[in-house]
Amino acid sequence: DLDYFFHGGAYSLEHDMAGVEAMTSCHVSAGQVPKLFFIFARFFRIKMPSHSRKVPGRRADDGKRTSVLQRRYRVGGVTHWKETLAIAGEAHKVQLGDWLLRDADADYCYIADGANSQQQEIMAHLASRRNKQTGNLESMAISIDAISDKTSAGAH
């Protein structure tokens, strides 16, 4: 069903959420997400939605440009997945803000820490609050980022 992948000139929410989940839950890079769609489509015997497009081909012996019909699949490319992940990150920040503002009487804690791993500096930010009913600490990661500058200005 084409609408499940592509609707109204854009990729569907289901398409984008599947890719974001692969990148965040399974730690798949944006460049590998399109391949996952094809792997699982083949496994579940699903025909991937596609369309044909006329693209420039090789030049003929007489110098004239030829054209060929190329199959294009309705799966986001690397640039689409990078942009989608950036948008999801911003949405996560809005969700965190809502979470922090929901209960004005709650106790909150913000922690930031850095580490060095495989010649790369990593900075993690974490927000937590104590649940009044259970007493458990509820945590939500704000971000884990690689930074190139070890000064405090580079961490922002």
Side-chain angles (χ1 to χ4, degrees), residues 20-85:
V20 168
E21 188 171 356
M23 290 184 283
T24 57
S25 297
C26 302
H27 310 289
V28 174
S29 70
Q32 302 303 315
V33 171
K35 293 176 187 175
L36 286 178
F37 279 92
F38 291 100
I39 291 168
F40 286 108
R42 190 170 46 250
F43 178 76
F44 290 111
R45 297 180 183 160
I46 298 169
K47 183 180 177 191
M48 293 293 290
S50 65
H51 67 283
S52 295
R53 184 173 185 179
K54 200 176 199 181
V55 296
R58 298 178 183 213
R59 292 198 182 269
D61 292 336
D62 60 2
K64 290 184 180 178
R65 175 68 85 177
T66 62
S67 61
V68 294
L69 215 52
Q70 189 178 65
R71 182 170 301 280
R72 300 277 175 107
Y73 290 95
R74 301 282 188 170
V75 175
V78 177
T79 303
H80 174 77
W81 293 117
K82 286 181 179 180
E83 182 180 323
T84 303
L85 190 59

Side-chain angles (χ1 to χ4, degrees), residues 5 15 17 19 32 50 57 60 70 74 76 87 97 100 109 113 139 153 155:
F5 285 86
H15 171 272
M17 292 305 292
Q32 302 303 315
S50 65
Q70 189 178 65
R74 301 282 188 170
I87 291 167
L100 291 172
C109 175
D113 195 10
S139 297

Side-chain angles (χ1 to χ4, degrees), residues 138-155:
E138 297 174 344
S139 297
M140 180 181 283
I142 297 175
S143 66
I144 298 175
D145 302 304
I147 55 175
S148 57
D149 187 355
K150 292 184 180 183
T151 66
S152 60

